């Protein structure tokens, strides 16, 4: 009898130990907004100064750490793929995403933040914008999330395509096609078939329960959708607070992607009373509601909250766009397309009023969340094949115990295998531009801010080089100028690019999930394909130094 009591006691103690360990693991909340400009928010000189107060984000920054050299990718899908996978988007094939109705999306072999955190015993939840494909295998509930609720599969513009008030000139058969294939808000638990909650359109309408021939599941307009995302997040926190299990909640607001249509409760609530400013005020309020709920439930004692956005401001669509003090726009390798706001918050663990200028980015959330959760980054993908991550652990930076190991950042646009630009320390080299029809080289170049509207082109036989400390706007090319020259910098850039390119041999990129037009396929490029593969396999990659200097 004593023997059985002893075994029972050991088992009980073991269960208690596991429960304590689970409770000690921090909860993680990741909040991602859409297309938010670096200069929109109060901690970055925006907020009230730009007619759009952001008191809740200001408080988060005041109580936590604000990042000033934090990077995303150049546009929505690659930005979100990089966050979810911790891998540069050309590895996962997620440099763009297909139109609605074309299927595809995040390959099922990829690891995500959710699937990695589940290996550490976390409950996982997703709500809001996904934009990583619409195939069943690509949805959040098939990518490690225990539950997804009110998920939007596309950028906001996509929900206006079938609307005759937006595009009266569209051919009826094309409108009918978009009407048929555009999926509305989705919800489901892991292993379940996703169910449409309601359709989404570009009108001021909020009728999720009112069925009709046109909308058999009801319909909710763009202005109201983020309210459902907030509702899902708050209800999940209520449920999670009653569990002993640590949780990971990923909240993705649709604001402030074009077209900005603020919820009626926030119309003219900004100082400037513009649609964009009203939408920023709405975004701030919804983030504030989540933060208030965490505090009210006592979850703030052991929860890491990280806020960021998917890419830089979309200057092409001004004035329905955010502001960046940097050169360029979403869709380019300029700082304006890639440097984004980011704030980390964890009272008692992350010091308040902290400001950080290390080179960090959305890619680094994977290694960071794995570290704080006790998860190990996998060495094989979910199909059992070797995998590599481009993610660095930020926890030493967050908790004041050291520096990040990241020394470089690589900038890509949609179809690049070699980076269009690279930053090492405070220096940045630009090799390939998209959208800038200014002067290709020279001391001062004029920037038109064109993003996808502009052509892809190489800057010259040599790159542009900028000192981002002295010249964060990338105005003065110092590769060669009238007082000195920086050709020797190519040695540094060469080294980091060569090491990155070597990884493509052992870890080949996946097939692109959506084709993009890059100009005609020529005979010479066809003949080069085998040569390029052979060169990478045999010699790696190298940018030659210019001669005749």
């Amino acid at each position: 009898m004593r023997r059985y009591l002893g075994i029972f006691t050991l088992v009980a103690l073991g269960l208690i130990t596991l429960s304590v360990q689970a409770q000690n693991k921090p909860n993680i909340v990741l909040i991602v907004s859409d297309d938010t400009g670096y200069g929109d928010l109060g901690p970055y000189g925006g907020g009230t100064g730009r007619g759009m107060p952001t008191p809740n984000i200001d408080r988060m920054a005041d109580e936590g750490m604000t990042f000033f050299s934090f990077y995303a990718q150049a546009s929505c899908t690659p930005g979100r793929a990089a966050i979810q996978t911790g891998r540069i988007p050309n590895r996962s094939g997620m440099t763009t995403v297909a139109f609605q109705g074309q299927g595809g999306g995040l390959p099922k072999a990829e690891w995500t933040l959710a699937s990695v955190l589940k290996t550490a015993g976390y409950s996982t939840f997703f709500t809001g914008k996904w934009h990583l494909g619409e195939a069943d295998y690509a949805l959040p509930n098939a990518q490690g999330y225990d539950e997804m609720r009110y998920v939007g599969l596309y950028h906001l513009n996509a929900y206006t395509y079938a609307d005759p008030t937006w595009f009266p000139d569209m051919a009826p058969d094309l409108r009918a096609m978009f009407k048929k294939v555009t999926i509305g808000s989705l919800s489901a638990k892991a292993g379940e078939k996703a169910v449409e909650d309601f359709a989404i359109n570009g009108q001021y309408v909020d009728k999720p329960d009112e069925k009709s021939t046109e909308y058999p599941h009801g319909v909710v307009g763009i202005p109201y959708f983020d309210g459902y995302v907030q509702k899902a997040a708050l209800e999940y926190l209520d449920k999670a607070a009653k569990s002993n299990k640590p949780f990971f909640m990923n909240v993705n607001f649709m604001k402030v992607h074009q077209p900005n249509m603020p919820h009626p409760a926030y119309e003219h609530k900004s100082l400037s009373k513009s649609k964009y400013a009203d939408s920023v005020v709405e975004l701030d309020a919804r983030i504030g509601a989540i933060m208030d709920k965490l505090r009210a439930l006592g979850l703030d004692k052991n929860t890491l909250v990280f806020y960021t956005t998917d890419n830089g401001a979309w200057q092409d669509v001004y004035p329905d766009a955010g502001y960046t003090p940097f050169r360029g726009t979403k869709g380019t390798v300029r700082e304006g397309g890639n440097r984004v706001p980011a704030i980390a918050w964890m009272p008692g663990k992350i010091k308040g009023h902290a400001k950080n200028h290390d080179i960090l980015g959305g890619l680094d959330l994977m290694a960071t969340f794995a570290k704080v959760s006790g998860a190990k980054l996998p060495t094989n993908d979910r199909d059992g094949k070797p995998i590599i991550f481009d993610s660095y652990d930020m926890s030493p930076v967050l908790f004041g115990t050291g520096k990040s190991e990241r020394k470089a950042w690589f900038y890509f646009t949609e179809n690049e295998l070699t980076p269009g630009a690279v930053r090492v320390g405070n220096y940045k080299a630009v090799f390939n531009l998209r959208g800038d029809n200014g002067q290709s080289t020279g001391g001062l170049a004029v920037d038109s801010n064109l993003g996808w509207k502009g052509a892809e082109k190489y800057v010259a036989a040599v790159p542009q080089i900028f000192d981002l400390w002295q010249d964060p706007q990338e105005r003065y090319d110092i590769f060669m100028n009238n007082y000195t020259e920086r050709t020797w910098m190519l040695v540094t850039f060469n080294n980091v690019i060569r090491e990155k390119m070597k990884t493509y041999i052992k870890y080949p990129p996946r097939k692109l999930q959506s084709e993009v037009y890059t100009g005609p396929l020529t005979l010479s490029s066809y003949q080069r394909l085998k040569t390029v593969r052979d060169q990478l396999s045999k010699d790696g990659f190298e940018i030659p130094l210019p001669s005749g200097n």
Side-chain angles (χ1 to χ4, degrees), residues 247-258:
F247 66 85
F248 168 54
M249 181 174 75
N250 189 187
V251 182
N252 296 260
F253 289 112
M254 289 285 197
K255 297 289 189 304
V256 279
H257 192 290
Q258 185 210 33

Side-chain angles (χ1 to χ4, degrees), residues 103-220:
L106 187 64
K108 59 184 178 182
E110 288 289 325
W111 288 94
T112 64
L113 293 172
S115 54
V116 168
L117 288 172
K118 279 188 67 63
T119 68
Y122 277 65
S123 297
T124 54
F125 179 80
F126 186 96
T127 182
K129 180 176 178 178
W130 181 239
H131 209 186
L132 296 177
E134 60 184 9
D136 288 345
Y137 65 78
L139 299 180
N141 69 325
Q143 291 283 352
Y145 289 95
D146 296 324
E147 182 181 0
M148 64 179 195
R149 193 169 178 208
Y150 301 131
V151 172
L153 296 184
Y154 322 110
H155 54 77
L156 278 185
N157 309 71
Y159 298 105
T160 68
Y161 292 163
D163 192 329
T165 63
W166 280 84
F167 302 107
D169 57 330
M170 183 182 288
D173 56 342
L174 183 58
R175 189 188 318 285
M177 184 278 290
F178 276 122
K179 180 81 171 175
K180 179 179 179 181
V181 302
T182 302
I183 301 170
S185 170
L186 293 179
S187 295
K189 293 183 178 179
E192 295 179 347
K193 177 71 175 175
V195 174
E196 185 174 270
D197 308 298
F198 44 74
I200 304 172
N201 71 4
Q203 302 297 319
Y204 272 85
V205 59
D206 186 17
K207 298 180 178 180
D209 299 319
E210 189 172 306
K211 319 300 182 189
S212 67
T213 303
E214 186 177 13
Y215 297 112
H217 301 111
V219 59
V220 169

